[in-house]
Amino acid sequence: MNECGASTIFYDWSMFLTNGSRVDILSQLNIETSNDYVIVKSYIFQEILRPGGEGVVQLEVWRESGESGYINETIRVNEPPVAGNCSCHPKTGEGYRTDFQVTCIGWVDPDTPLRFLFSYSYEGDVTPIPKSSKNPNSSSEFKILKEPDEGMSAIQVPITISVEDSLGWKTEMVIYAEVSCKLQCYYFINYNIYCLTKTISNHNRCS
């Protein structure tokens, strides 16, 4: 309700989902209103309308004299970027030695520019990967500072790509790089295998 000259104006806010169902916006949607304006909380878009969903906010106004009118405003929730493709080159390499690079193509979103973030992780440790200064859709060349544990020839290291549009919605993709031992590592593995074989055949320890 609002005083306008000698006449009082009344406001009634309501909200409809795209399927036509009416929602109690004051209690269920937790919308703050002060007669002539309304504030819709952000979680409503994420949890009720959801990405890509639509809702209609309706305002009905009338005077004590009986004059009335209304207006509808459609609200469409932003969607995260549509996933394209990302790949790691090379797919296999040696820890601490090989230069890897991640490249992404085919990501689509009307709310540009898109922002690409890269990182790799192993056993809970997350390491950011710098972006390329020449191509914003790619990482710069980087080394994976991890190696297989003793007795292992290679490990799969997950690389996470986060793609975010200009409004803050994002999509994540995970790809993998295979990281093997350095040459010295292979020497020790092969040596241990040789020792084990000799021990079994000769029944004495290899030294």
Side-chain angles (χ1 to χ4, degrees):
M1 184 177 67
N2 192 12
E3 298 292 337
C4 182
S7 178
T8 301
I9 298 179
F10 298 89
Y11 300 86
D12 182 35
W13 293 92
S14 57
M15 189 171 186
F16 301 87
L17 303 182
T18 51
N19 61 9
S21 60
R22 183 184 175 104
V23 178
D24 181 355
I25 62 173
L26 294 180
S27 60
Q28 183 174 344
L29 295 185
N30 191 23
I31 291 180
E32 294 180 0
T33 179
S34 178
N35 298 327
D36 55 355
Y37 74 89
V38 64
I39 299 175
V40 183
K41 299 298 181 64
S42 61
Y43 80 87
I44 295 170
F45 301 106
Q46 299 174 7
E47 300 179 9
I48 298 178
L49 295 180
R50 299 183 180 278
E54 289 187 348
V56 178
V57 176
Q58 183 180 93
L59 171 61
E60 183 179 2
V61 182
W62 69 93
R63 295 178 183 271
E64 290 179 307
S65 59
E67 297 170 291
S68 65
Y70 71 92
I71 186 172
N72 292 335
E73 185 70 31
T74 299
I75 298 176
R76 187 175 188 276
V77 182
N78 180 35
E79 294 181 88
V82 177
N85 183 56
C86 294
S87 56
C88 181
H89 307 280
K91 294 182 178 179
T92 62
E94 296 179 13
Y96 292 88
R97 296 187 63 183
T98 302
D99 287 327
F100 295 92
Q101 186 173 27
V102 177
T103 57
C104 297
I105 59 173
W107 290 78
V108 179
D109 193 287
D111 303 307
T112 56
L114 299 181
R115 186 167 70 119
F116 290 77
L117 298 175
F118 308 91
S119 64
Y120 71 84
S121 60
Y122 189 69
E123 294 183 340
D125 294 330
V126 179
T127 303
I129 300 171
K131 292 189 293 184
S132 169
S133 58
K134 298 179 180 179
N135 182 1
N137 298 358
S138 301
S139 73
S140 62
E141 292 186 344
F142 65 98
K143 291 177 172 59
I144 295 180
L145 307 181
K146 300 291 180 182
E147 282 188 329
D149 294 330
E150 184 177 352
M152 301 173 62
S153 61
I155 55 174
Q156 297 291 322
V157 176
I159 300 173
T160 301
I161 302 98
S162 177
V163 185
E164 184 177 293
D165 67 18
S166 61
L167 300 180
W169 282 94
K170 66 181 179 181
T171 301
E172 289 189 344
M173 172 180 285
V174 178
I175 59 177
Y176 291 86
E178 184 177 282
V179 177
S180 60
C181 296
K182 297 179 184 178
L183 294 178
Q184 298 95 316
C185 178
Y186 282 114
Y187 169 78
F188 287 119
I189 290 175
N190 291 332
Y191 178 77
N192 289 335
I193 293 175
Y194 170 77
C195 285
L196 179 61
T197 303
K198 291 287 288 181
T199 300
I200 294 174
S201 62
N202 298 332
H203 300 286
N204 53 36
R205 298 188 65 181
C206 180
S207 57

